Amino acid sequence: MDYRSNVTYITFGGHVEVHKYRYLYFVIMFMVYILIISSNFTIVCIIMIHKNLHEPMYIFIAALLINSVLFSTVIYPKLLIDFLSEKQIISYPACLCQWFSYYWLGVSDFVLLSIMAYDRYVSICNPLKYTTIMQKTTVIISLILAWILPACQFSILILLSANKEICMFHSKGILCNSTVLTLHCVRSRTLSIFGLVNFVTGVLLPVLFILFTYARILVVSYRCRGVRRRAAQTCLPHLLVLINFSCLSAYDVLLPRLELDSPKIVRLIMALQVVIYHPLFNPIIYGLKMRRIYDHIKKLFCRAV
């Protein structure tokens, strides 16, 4: 606590020998950040430029990749500053802001993935009704809801947390995520219930919806051989992204609640997987597995060479 400015500061204790390897950490993470920005924006620009990619599925992919860029921008600049600083600290209001952005964008990803699953369901199972259902207005409303609803959800949680007194000023992590709850003097039942509701509505229900949707697609694909290849080409990348993101999210959500006293190096590796693996995984999967996007990327690099 800084009594002169009446600002509360949180110290990050999750770094491993940061004073010894600070420049190595900085260079590696800076390169990863540039790679994330360039890879995601390359595919987004390809989707924007080429008219044959102006379809709902590719628009939703672009939105998902924009989320990856926003997510990384919330995390990486602060991480890079911490690597070069003597003390790895953050003000409590800034910590709450990072916490909000972290989960807002995370839940937004799940909503977008569920919308994409529905889009594939309509395209494969009801192809004659696809243009009627997935109109431009439907796509715009879906995108707005995918960003607005999670923001409203977590705004309430952040406002409730901002009024809670904190007694712990040392975090075991390297960023502000759900570990913020462990800083409070008293565990709030209201916060726990509201957090559970957010988890069910923002993560569990979208995942169940996606699994149900792809199960229906699998049934149709099994019955009709003509749609098997199309279903595999367009649905497999979404499923890979969902599995990857779900595993990382499960760890992130369960760790502070189970209060696992794991070694610092294990916590650091898992935290880095969340901030590195997911934002890089999305453009790689969609760039390699989506045939149209891959063709445009190949043409782009051939011209560059």
Coordinates of all heavy atoms in Angstrom, one line a residue, residues 13 35 52 119 143 231 242 294:
G13 N 4.6 -12.5 -7.7 CA 5.7 -13.4 -7.2 C 5.9 -14.7 -8.0 O 6.5 -15.6 -7.6
L35 N 5.1 -11.9 -33.1 CA 4.6 -13.0 -33.9 C 3.1 -13.2 -33.8 O 2.4 -13.4 -34.8 CB 5.3 -14.3 -33.5 CG 5.0 -15.6 -34.3 CD1 5.4 -15.4 -35.8 CD2 5.8 -16.8 -33.7
N52 N -14.0 -13.5 -51.6 CA -14.5 -14.8 -51.5 C -14.4 -15.4 -50.1 O -14.9 -16.5 -49.8 CB -13.7 -15.8 -52.4 CG -12.3 -16.0 -52.0 OD1 -11.7 -15.1 -51.4 ND2 -11.7 -17.1 -52.3
D119 N -23.2 -21.8 -37.0 CA -23.0 -21.5 -38.4 C -22.7 -22.8 -39.2 O -23.3 -23.0 -40.3 CB -21.9 -20.5 -38.6 CG -21.5 -20.3 -40.0 OD1 -22.3 -19.6 -40.7 OD2 -20.5 -20.8 -40.5
L143 N -22.0 -10.8 -33.6 CA -20.7 -10.3 -33.2 C -20.9 -9.3 -32.0 O -20.1 -9.3 -31.0 CB -20.1 -9.6 -34.4 CG -19.6 -10.5 -35.5 CD1 -19.1 -9.7 -36.6 CD2 -18.5 -11.4 -35.0
A231 N -17.5 -31.4 -43.9 CA -17.7 -31.2 -42.5 C -16.3 -31.3 -41.8 O -16.0 -30.6 -40.8 CB -18.6 -32.3 -41.9
L242 N -11.3 -25.3 -29.8 CA -12.1 -25.4 -28.6 C -11.5 -26.3 -27.6 O -11.4 -25.9 -26.4 CB -13.5 -26.0 -29.0 CG -14.4 -26.4 -27.9 CD1 -14.9 -25.2 -27.2 CD2 -15.6 -27.3 -28.3
Y294 N -5.6 -20.8 -46.4 CA -4.2 -21.4 -46.7 C -3.8 -21.0 -48.1 O -2.6 -20.7 -48.4 CB -4.2 -22.9 -46.5 CG -2.9 -23.6 -46.9 CD1 -1.8 -23.5 -46.1 CD2 -2.8 -24.3 -48.1 CE1 -0.6 -24.1 -46.5 CE2 -1.6 -24.9 -48.5 CZ -0.5 -24.8 -47.6 OH 0.6 -25.4 -48.0

